[in-house]
């Protein structure tokens, strides 16, 4: 069962993915649903009563719509922290579908590896084919775990060495749909999961919330993340979904430039994964098991 506890209640207005709070109260509420996550449109329980329609989540809480009379009532934001009145909050109203790195992932630069959260606009990053390109923007999104992707689409952890010797150099954590370049094919991380050396991250690893980052360059590129070729941002999702979209707007205006996906095959599921790549992964898993057994 998915359970979420909040400490503050806000009335306000909700339009076009933005909630603007104007009345606040410090009252605790407990939300729960039968599954392992909350899905937009579902009727969820508030203090045990099925009276709320879940709309989406923001950086500190969730938006629900009053459904106590079976209709479409007012919107409310329930938060773990106090908010400023009249400060609009961007609300995520779909499953997480952003190609991102989790905090701590080291990105290759000419001056050495840099944690993704420390990258800035203009930072030069290394591409897999040996070029350097400047970062156009670093998007950031906070995901409240219980309202994020369900268990089958949680972020993926690739253990050090799971793709080859020192690849990745350290554990690499990315969102499920983030693609890595393997044998000339873009393979989304979720398609690589074998539940041993490449697996879904657990609640304990993710915590109550986690932050993901996307690196945007002028074109869709393949850069190095823990020495693994990994894609940069491509226009499969709006930048407005990110917590810091205002920074992008301040830099480049309210128009969203199109980043066209590179012309490479994309593997989205395990059943599409070429057998040659699967054999490579199985071989690496066996090698890591032998290494661990020898060390023991």
């Amino acid at each position: 069962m998915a359970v979420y506890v909040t400490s503050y209640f806000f009335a306000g207005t909700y339009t076009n993915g933005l909630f603007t709070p104007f009345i606040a109260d410090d009252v605790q509420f407990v939300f729960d649903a039968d599954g392992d996550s909350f899905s937009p449109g579902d009727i969820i329980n508030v203090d045990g009563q099925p009276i709320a329609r879940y709309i989406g989540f923001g950086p500190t809480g969730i938006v629900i719509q009053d459904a106590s009379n079976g209709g479409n009532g007012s919107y409310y934001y329930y938060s773990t922290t106090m908010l400023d009145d009249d400060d609009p909050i961007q609300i995520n109203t779909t499953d997480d579908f952003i190609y991102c790195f989790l905090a701590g992932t080291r990105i290759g630069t000419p001056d050495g590896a840099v944690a993704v959260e420390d990258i800035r606009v203009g930072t030069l990053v290394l591409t897999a084919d040996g070029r350097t390109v400047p970062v156009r923007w670093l998007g950031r999104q906070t995901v409240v775990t219980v309202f994020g992707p369900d268990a089958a689409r949680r972020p993926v952890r690739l253990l050090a060495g799971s793709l080859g010797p020192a690849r990745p150099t350290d554990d690499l954590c990315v969102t499920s749909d983030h693609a890595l370049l393997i044998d000339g094919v873009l393979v989304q991380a979720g398609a690589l999961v074998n539940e041993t050396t490449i697996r879904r991250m657990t609640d304990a690893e993710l915590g109550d919330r986690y932050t993901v980052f996307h690196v945007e360059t002028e074109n869709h590129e393949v850069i190095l993340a823990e020495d693994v070729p990994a894609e940069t941002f491509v226009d499969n999702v709006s930048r407005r979904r990110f917590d810091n979209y205002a920074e992008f707007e301040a830099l480049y205006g309210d128009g969203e430039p199109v980043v066209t996906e590179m012309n490479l095959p994309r593997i989205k599921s395990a059943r599409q994964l070429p057998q040659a790549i699967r054999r490579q992964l199985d071989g690496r898993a066996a090698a890591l098991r032998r290494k661990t057994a020898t060390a023991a």
Side-chain angles (χ1 to χ4, degrees), residues 155-186:
V156 174
R157 179 184 292 274
L158 295 91
L159 298 186
S162 58
L163 299 179
R167 285 198 319 122
T169 50
D170 201 351
D171 289 4
L172 172 61
C173 300
V174 296
T175 51
S176 184
D177 297 312
H178 197 131
L180 311 176
L181 183 63
I182 303 175
D183 291 352
V185 178
L186 290 172

PDB file of all heavy atoms in Angstrom, residues 155-186:
ATOM      1  N   PRO A 155      13.901   4.043 -10.987  1.00  0.00           N
ATOM      2  CA  PRO A 155      15.273   4.236 -11.492  1.00  0.00           C
ATOM      3  C   PRO A 155      16.094   2.953 -11.386  1.00  0.00           C
ATOM      4  O   PRO A 155      15.803   2.073 -10.571  1.00  0.00           O
ATOM      5  CB  PRO A 155      15.816   5.331 -10.572  1.00  0.00           C
ATOM      6  CG  PRO A 155      14.607   6.115 -10.168  1.00  0.00           C
ATOM      7  CD  PRO A 155      13.519   5.083 -10.005  1.00  0.00           C
ATOM      8  N   VAL A 156      17.118   2.880 -12.194  1.00  0.00           N
ATOM      9  CA  VAL A 156      17.927   1.673 -12.339  1.00  0.00           C
ATOM     10  C   VAL A 156      19.337   1.927 -11.821  1.00  0.00           C
ATOM     11  O   VAL A 156      19.926   2.980 -12.089  1.00  0.00           O
ATOM     12  CB  VAL A 156      17.981   1.240 -13.817  1.00  0.00           C
ATOM     13  CG1 VAL A 156      18.937   0.066 -14.019  1.00  0.00           C
ATOM     14  CG2 VAL A 156      16.575   0.878 -14.308  1.00  0.00           C
ATOM     15  N   ARG A 157      19.887   0.969 -11.080  1.00  0.00           N
ATOM     16  CA  ARG A 157      21.279   1.013 -10.634  1.00  0.00           C
ATOM     17  C   ARG A 157      22.079  -0.021 -11.416  1.00  0.00           C
ATOM     18  O   ARG A 157      21.768  -1.213 -11.382  1.00  0.00           O
ATOM     19  CB  ARG A 157      21.394   0.730  -9.136  1.00  0.00           C
ATOM     20  CG  ARG A 157      22.843   0.742  -8.614  1.00  0.00           C
ATOM     21  CD  ARG A 157      22.909   0.367  -7.143  1.00  0.00           C
ATOM     22  NE  ARG A 157      22.308   1.372  -6.305  1.00  0.00           N
ATOM     23  CZ  ARG A 157      22.941   2.451  -5.837  1.00  0.00           C
ATOM     24  NH1 ARG A 157      24.219   2.656  -6.152  1.00  0.00           N
ATOM     25  NH2 ARG A 157      22.311   3.314  -5.071  1.00  0.00           N
ATOM     26  N   LEU A 158      23.111   0.440 -12.126  1.00  0.00           N
ATOM     27  CA  LEU A 158      24.041  -0.450 -12.824  1.00  0.00           C
ATOM     28  C   LEU A 158      25.299  -0.536 -11.971  1.00  0.00           C
ATOM     29  O   LEU A 158      25.987   0.479 -11.754  1.00  0.00           O
ATOM     30  CB  LEU A 158      24.380   0.083 -14.211  1.00  0.00           C
ATOM     31  CG  LEU A 158      23.225   0.163 -15.225  1.00  0.00           C
ATOM     32  CD1 LEU A 158      22.547   1.539 -15.167  1.00  0.00           C
ATOM     33  CD2 LEU A 158      23.731  -0.078 -16.638  1.00  0.00           C
ATOM     34  N   LEU A 159      25.600  -1.709 -11.449  1.00  0.00           N
ATOM     35  CA  LEU A 159      26.760  -1.867 -10.592  1.00  0.00           C
ATOM     36  C   LEU A 159      28.047  -1.615 -11.372  1.00  0.00           C
ATOM     37  O   LEU A 159      28.121  -1.861 -12.589  1.00  0.00           O
ATOM     38  CB  LEU A 159      26.795  -3.263  -9.986  1.00  0.00           C
ATOM     39  CG  LEU A 159      25.623  -3.646  -9.074  1.00  0.00           C
ATOM     40  CD1 LEU A 159      25.886  -5.000  -8.438  1.00  0.00           C
ATOM     41  CD2 LEU A 159      25.368  -2.585  -8.009  1.00  0.00           C
ATOM     42  N   ALA A 160      29.068  -1.139 -10.672  1.00  0.00           N
ATOM     43  CA  ALA A 160      30.372  -0.909 -11.293  1.00  0.00           C
ATOM     44  C   ALA A 160      30.838  -2.178 -12.000  1.00  0.00           C
ATOM     45  O   ALA A 160      30.804  -3.269 -11.427  1.00  0.00           O
ATOM     46  CB  ALA A 160      31.384  -0.489 -10.236  1.00  0.00           C
ATOM     47  N   GLY A 161      31.233  -2.034 -13.265  1.00  0.00           N
ATOM     48  CA  GLY A 161      31.724  -3.168 -14.032  1.00  0.00           C
ATOM     49  C   GLY A 161      30.653  -4.013 -14.684  1.00  0.00           C
ATOM     50  O   GLY A 161      30.970  -5.001 -15.356  1.00  0.00           O
ATOM     51  N   SER A 162      29.373  -3.644 -14.552  1.00  0.00           N
ATOM     52  CA  SER A 162      28.296  -4.488 -15.082  1.00  0.00           C
ATOM     53  C   SER A 162      28.213  -4.479 -16.599  1.00  0.00           C
ATOM     54  O   SER A 162      27.641  -5.402 -17.195  1.00  0.00           O
ATOM     55  CB  SER A 162      26.947  -4.067 -14.492  1.00  0.00           C
ATOM     56  OG  SER A 162      26.670  -2.706 -14.783  1.00  0.00           O
ATOM     57  N   LEU A 163      28.797  -3.464 -17.247  1.00  0.00           N
ATOM     58  CA  LEU A 163      28.764  -3.400 -18.713  1.00  0.00           C
ATOM     59  C   LEU A 163      30.098  -3.768 -19.345  1.00  0.00           C
ATOM     60  O   LEU A 163      30.182  -3.928 -20.567  1.00  0.00           O
ATOM     61  CB  LEU A 163      28.363  -1.984 -19.171  1.00  0.00           C
ATOM     62  CG  LEU A 163      26.981  -1.499 -18.729  1.00  0.00           C
ATOM     63  CD1 LEU A 163      26.746  -0.077 -19.230  1.00  0.00           C
ATOM     64  CD2 LEU A 163      25.887  -2.425 -19.219  1.00  0.00           C
ATOM     65  N   GLY A 164      31.131  -3.872 -18.531  1.00  0.00           N
ATOM     66  CA  GLY A 164      32.468  -4.183 -19.015  1.00  0.00           C
ATOM     67  C   GLY A 164      33.481  -3.775 -17.969  1.00  0.00           C
ATOM     68  O   GLY A 164      33.121  -3.148 -16.959  1.00  0.00           O
ATOM     69  N   PRO A 165      34.753  -4.116 -18.144  1.00  0.00           N
ATOM     70  CA  PRO A 165      35.770  -3.712 -17.167  1.00  0.00           C
ATOM     71  C   PRO A 165      35.743  -2.195 -16.943  1.00  0.00           C
ATOM     72  O   PRO A 165      35.885  -1.420 -17.894  1.00  0.00           O
ATOM     73  CB  PRO A 165      37.080  -4.164 -17.818  1.00  0.00           C
ATOM     74  CG  PRO A 165      36.674  -5.279 -18.735  1.00  0.00           C
ATOM     75  CD  PRO A 165      35.328  -4.899 -19.265  1.00  0.00           C
ATOM     76  N   ALA A 166      35.515  -1.784 -15.690  1.00  0.00           N
ATOM     77  CA  ALA A 166      35.451  -0.364 -15.317  1.00  0.00           C
ATOM     78  C   ALA A 166      34.371   0.392 -16.081  1.00  0.00           C
ATOM     79  O   ALA A 166      34.461   1.608 -16.270  1.00  0.00           O
ATOM     80  CB  ALA A 166      36.807   0.312 -15.516  1.00  0.00           C
ATOM     81  N   ARG A 167      33.345  -0.294 -16.502  1.00  0.00           N
ATOM     82  CA  ARG A 167      32.196   0.358 -17.147  1.00  0.00           C
ATOM     83  C   ARG A 167      30.904  -0.184 -16.520  1.00  0.00           C
ATOM     84  O   ARG A 167      30.560  -1.339 -16.780  1.00  0.00           O
ATOM     85  CB  ARG A 167      32.200   0.096 -18.666  1.00  0.00           C
ATOM     86  CG  ARG A 167      33.215   0.877 -19.409  1.00  0.00           C
ATOM     87  CD  ARG A 167      32.930   0.960 -20.905  1.00  0.00           C
ATOM     88  NE  ARG A 167      32.464  -0.304 -21.471  1.00  0.00           N
ATOM     89  CZ  ARG A 167      31.287  -0.437 -22.110  1.00  0.00           C
ATOM     90  NH1 ARG A 167      30.490   0.573 -22.266  1.00  0.00           N
ATOM     91  NH2 ARG A 167      30.943  -1.603 -22.614  1.00  0.00           N
ATOM     92  N   PRO A 168      30.264   0.622 -15.695  1.00  0.00           N
ATOM     93  CA  PRO A 168      30.698   1.941 -15.236  1.00  0.00           C
ATOM     94  C   PRO A 168      31.831   1.844 -14.208  1.00  0.00           C
ATOM     95  O   PRO A 168      32.042   0.797 -13.605  1.00  0.00           O
ATOM     96  CB  PRO A 168      29.433   2.515 -14.588  1.00  0.00           C
ATOM     97  CG  PRO A 168      28.632   1.318 -14.181  1.00  0.00           C
ATOM     98  CD  PRO A 168      28.925   0.248 -15.189  1.00  0.00           C
ATOM     99  N   THR A 169      32.528   2.983 -14.027  1.00  0.00           N
ATOM    100  CA  THR A 169      33.633   3.008 -13.070  1.00  0.00           C
ATOM    101  C   THR A 169      33.134   2.910 -11.637  1.00  0.00           C
ATOM    102  O   THR A 169      33.811   2.377 -10.768  1.00  0.00           O
ATOM    103  CB  THR A 169      34.453   4.300 -13.234  1.00  0.00           C
ATOM    104  OG1 THR A 169      33.559   5.421 -13.234  1.00  0.00           O
ATOM    105  CG2 THR A 169      35.223   4.301 -14.547  1.00  0.00           C
ATOM    106  N   ASP A 170      31.946   3.457 -11.393  1.00  0.00           N
ATOM    107  CA  ASP A 170      31.264   3.343 -10.104  1.00  0.00           C
ATOM    108  C   ASP A 170      29.795   3.076 -10.421  1.00  0.00           C
ATOM    109  O   ASP A 170      29.372   3.189 -11.575  1.00  0.00           O
ATOM    110  CB  ASP A 170      31.426   4.635  -9.298  1.00  0.00           C
ATOM    111  CG  ASP A 170      31.195   4.431  -7.809  1.00  0.00           C
ATOM    112  OD1 ASP A 170      30.748   3.327  -7.423  1.00  0.00           O
ATOM    113  OD2 ASP A 170      31.442   5.364  -7.036  1.00  0.00           O
ATOM    114  N   ASP A 171      29.007   2.696  -9.432  1.00  0.00           N
ATOM    115  CA  ASP A 171      27.599   2.431  -9.701  1.00  0.00           C
ATOM    116  C   ASP A 171      26.975   3.625 -10.425  1.00  0.00           C
ATOM    117  O   ASP A 171      27.180   4.788 -10.034  1.00  0.00           O
ATOM    118  CB  ASP A 171      26.844   2.174  -8.398  1.00  0.00           C
ATOM    119  CG  ASP A 171      27.206   0.845  -7.770  1.00  0.00           C
ATOM    120  OD1 ASP A 171      28.103   0.154  -8.295  1.00  0.00           O
ATOM    121  OD2 ASP A 171      26.582   0.500  -6.745  1.00  0.00           O
ATOM    122  N   LEU A 172      26.208   3.340 -11.446  1.00  0.00           N
ATOM    123  CA  LEU A 172      25.552   4.368 -12.253  1.00  0.00           C
ATOM    124  C   LEU A 172      24.051   4.267 -12.030  1.00  0.00           C
ATOM    125  O   LEU A 172      23.461   3.198 -12.220  1.00  0.00           O
ATOM    126  CB  LEU A 172      25.881   4.169 -13.735  1.00  0.00           C
ATOM    127  CG  LEU A 172      25.138   5.048 -14.752  1.00  0.00           C
ATOM    128  CD1 LEU A 172      25.445   6.529 -14.515  1.00  0.00           C
ATOM    129  CD2 LEU A 172      25.511   4.641 -16.171  1.00  0.00           C
ATOM    130  N   CYS A 173      23.422   5.378 -11.616  1.00  0.00           N
ATOM    131  CA  CYS A 173      21.992   5.400 -11.334  1.00  0.00           C
ATOM    132  C   CYS A 173      21.293   6.368 -12.275  1.00  0.00           C
ATOM    133  O   CYS A 173      21.610   7.565 -12.280  1.00  0.00           O
ATOM    134  CB  CYS A 173      21.734   5.797  -9.883  1.00  0.00           C
ATOM    135  SG  CYS A 173      22.476   4.675  -8.661  1.00  0.00           S
ATOM    136  N   VAL A 174      20.361   5.847 -13.046  1.00  0.00           N
ATOM    137  CA  VAL A 174      19.642   6.653 -14.028  1.00  0.00           C
ATOM    138  C   VAL A 174      18.165   6.295 -13.993  1.00  0.00           C
ATOM    139  O   VAL A 174      17.785   5.238 -13.489  1.00  0.00           O
ATOM    140  CB  VAL A 174      20.184   6.431 -15.461  1.00  0.00           C
ATOM    141  CG1 VAL A 174      21.629   6.892 -15.575  1.00  0.00           C
ATOM    142  CG2 VAL A 174      20.057   4.973 -15.878  1.00  0.00           C
ATOM    143  N   THR A 175      17.327   7.165 -14.567  1.00  0.00           N
ATOM    144  CA  THR A 175      15.918   6.831 -14.695  1.00  0.00           C
ATOM    145  C   THR A 175      15.746   5.710 -15.709  1.00  0.00           C
ATOM    146  O   THR A 175      16.596   5.478 -16.564  1.00  0.00           O
ATOM    147  CB  THR A 175      15.101   8.067 -15.116  1.00  0.00           C
ATOM    148  OG1 THR A 175      15.710   8.670 -16.255  1.00  0.00           O
ATOM    149  CG2 THR A 175      15.031   9.076 -13.992  1.00  0.00           C
ATOM    150  N   SER A 176      14.633   5.013 -15.598  1.00  0.00           N
ATOM    151  CA  SER A 176      14.416   3.797 -16.371  1.00  0.00           C
ATOM    152  C   SER A 176      14.475   4.020 -17.877  1.00  0.00           C
ATOM    153  O   SER A 176      14.918   3.143 -18.629  1.00  0.00           O
ATOM    154  CB  SER A 176      13.056   3.194 -15.996  1.00  0.00           C
ATOM    155  OG  SER A 176      12.840   1.968 -16.644  1.00  0.00           O
ATOM    156  N   ASP A 177      14.042   5.193 -18.347  1.00  0.00           N
ATOM    157  CA  ASP A 177      13.973   5.453 -19.782  1.00  0.00           C
ATOM    158  C   ASP A 177      15.227   6.112 -20.343  1.00  0.00           C
ATOM    159  O   ASP A 177      15.282   6.410 -21.539  1.00  0.00           O
ATOM    160  CB  ASP A 177      12.757   6.327 -20.094  1.00  0.00           C
ATOM    161  CG  ASP A 177      11.456   5.638 -19.747  1.00  0.00           C
ATOM    162  OD1 ASP A 177      11.291   4.466 -20.136  1.00  0.00           O
ATOM    163  OD2 ASP A 177      10.606   6.248 -19.083  1.00  0.00           O
ATOM    164  N   HIS A 178      16.205   6.344 -19.493  1.00  0.00           N
ATOM    165  CA  HIS A 178      17.448   6.965 -19.945  1.00  0.00           C
ATOM    166  C   HIS A 178      18.260   5.935 -20.736  1.00  0.00           C
ATOM    167  O   HIS A 178      18.511   4.834 -20.259  1.00  0.00           O
ATOM    168  CB  HIS A 178      18.261   7.461 -18.749  1.00  0.00           C
ATOM    169  CG  HIS A 178      19.314   8.444 -19.113  1.00  0.00           C
ATOM    170  ND1 HIS A 178      19.474   9.643 -18.450  1.00  0.00           N
ATOM    171  CD2 HIS A 178      20.254   8.445 -20.087  1.00  0.00           C
ATOM    172  CE1 HIS A 178      20.476  10.324 -18.996  1.00  0.00           C
ATOM    173  NE2 HIS A 178      20.960   9.600 -19.994  1.00  0.00           N
ATOM    174  N   ALA A 179      18.677   6.315 -21.946  1.00  0.00           N
ATOM    175  CA  ALA A 179      19.358   5.359 -22.827  1.00  0.00           C
ATOM    176  C   ALA A 179      20.873   5.465 -22.725  1.00  0.00           C
ATOM    177  O   ALA A 179      21.438   6.551 -22.602  1.00  0.00           O
ATOM    178  CB  ALA A 179      18.921   5.567 -24.277  1.00  0.00           C
ATOM    179  N   LEU A 180      21.520   4.313 -22.812  1.00  0.00           N
ATOM    180  CA  LEU A 180      22.969   4.181 -22.880  1.00  0.00           C
ATOM    181  C   LEU A 180      23.318   3.658 -24.270  1.00  0.00           C
ATOM    182  O   LEU A 180      22.557   2.880 -24.858  1.00  0.00           O
ATOM    183  CB  LEU A 180      23.472   3.227 -21.798  1.00  0.00           C
ATOM    184  CG  LEU A 180      22.942   3.484 -20.376  1.00  0.00           C
ATOM    185  CD1 LEU A 180      23.445   2.409 -19.435  1.00  0.00           C
ATOM    186  CD2 LEU A 180      23.341   4.873 -19.892  1.00  0.00           C
ATOM    187  N   LEU A 181      24.460   4.071 -24.783  1.00  0.00           N
ATOM    188  CA  LEU A 181      24.875   3.612 -26.109  1.00  0.00           C
ATOM    189  C   LEU A 181      25.693   2.335 -25.962  1.00  0.00           C
ATOM    190  O   LEU A 181      26.786   2.339 -25.390  1.00  0.00           O
ATOM    191  CB  LEU A 181      25.700   4.687 -26.815  1.00  0.00           C
ATOM    192  CG  LEU A 181      26.129   4.362 -28.251  1.00  0.00           C
ATOM    193  CD1 LEU A 181      24.912   4.198 -29.154  1.00  0.00           C
ATOM    194  CD2 LEU A 181      27.055   5.450 -28.784  1.00  0.00           C
ATOM    195  N   ILE A 182      25.144   1.228 -26.480  1.00  0.00           N
ATOM    196  CA  ILE A 182      25.798  -0.077 -26.394  1.00  0.00           C
ATOM    197  C   ILE A 182      25.796  -0.702 -27.791  1.00  0.00           C
ATOM    198  O   ILE A 182      24.731  -0.902 -28.384  1.00  0.00           O
ATOM    199  CB  ILE A 182      25.083  -1.009 -25.401  1.00  0.00           C
ATOM    200  CG1 ILE A 182      25.018  -0.360 -24.009  1.00  0.00           C
ATOM    201  CG2 ILE A 182      25.767  -2.356 -25.325  1.00  0.00           C
ATOM    202  CD1 ILE A 182      24.217  -1.162 -22.997  1.00  0.00           C
ATOM    203  N   ASP A 183      26.976  -0.977 -28.311  1.00  0.00           N
ATOM    204  CA  ASP A 183      27.095  -1.616 -29.634  1.00  0.00           C
ATOM    205  C   ASP A 183      26.310  -0.874 -30.708  1.00  0.00           C
ATOM    206  O   ASP A 183      25.626  -1.481 -31.545  1.00  0.00           O
ATOM    207  CB  ASP A 183      26.639  -3.074 -29.569  1.00  0.00           C
ATOM    208  CG  ASP A 183      27.592  -3.955 -28.761  1.00  0.00           C
ATOM    209  OD1 ASP A 183      28.675  -3.464 -28.395  1.00  0.00           O
ATOM    210  OD2 ASP A 183      27.247  -5.114 -28.500  1.00  0.00           O
ATOM    211  N   GLY A 184      26.378   0.452 -30.672  1.00  0.00           N
ATOM    212  CA  GLY A 184      25.740   1.253 -31.705  1.00  0.00           C
ATOM    213  C   GLY A 184      24.241   1.398 -31.574  1.00  0.00           C
ATOM    214  O   GLY A 184      23.573   1.905 -32.484  1.00  0.00           O
ATOM    215  N   VAL A 185      23.690   0.983 -30.431  1.00  0.00           N
ATOM    216  CA  VAL A 185      22.242   1.029 -30.204  1.00  0.00           C
ATOM    217  C   VAL A 185      21.974   1.791 -28.904  1.00  0.00           C
ATOM    218  O   VAL A 185      22.684   1.604 -27.910  1.00  0.00           O
ATOM    219  CB  VAL A 185      21.652  -0.393 -30.094  1.00  0.00           C
ATOM    220  CG1 VAL A 185      20.164  -0.346 -29.820  1.00  0.00           C
ATOM    221  CG2 VAL A 185      21.936  -1.185 -31.360  1.00  0.00           C
ATOM    222  N   LEU A 186      20.955   2.668 -28.903  1.00  0.00           N
ATOM    223  CA  LEU A 186      20.531   3.324 -27.675  1.00  0.00           C
ATOM    224  C   LEU A 186      19.630   2.366 -26.908  1.00  0.00           C
ATOM    225  O   LEU A 186      18.559   1.987 -27.394  1.00  0.00           O
ATOM    226  CB  LEU A 186      19.782   4.624 -27.986  1.00  0.00           C
ATOM    227  CG  LEU A 186      20.622   5.770 -28.551  1.00  0.00           C
ATOM    228  CD1 LEU A 186      19.719   6.926 -28.988  1.00  0.00           C
ATOM    229  CD2 LEU A 186      21.647   6.256 -27.527  1.00  0.00           C
TER     230      LEU A 186
END
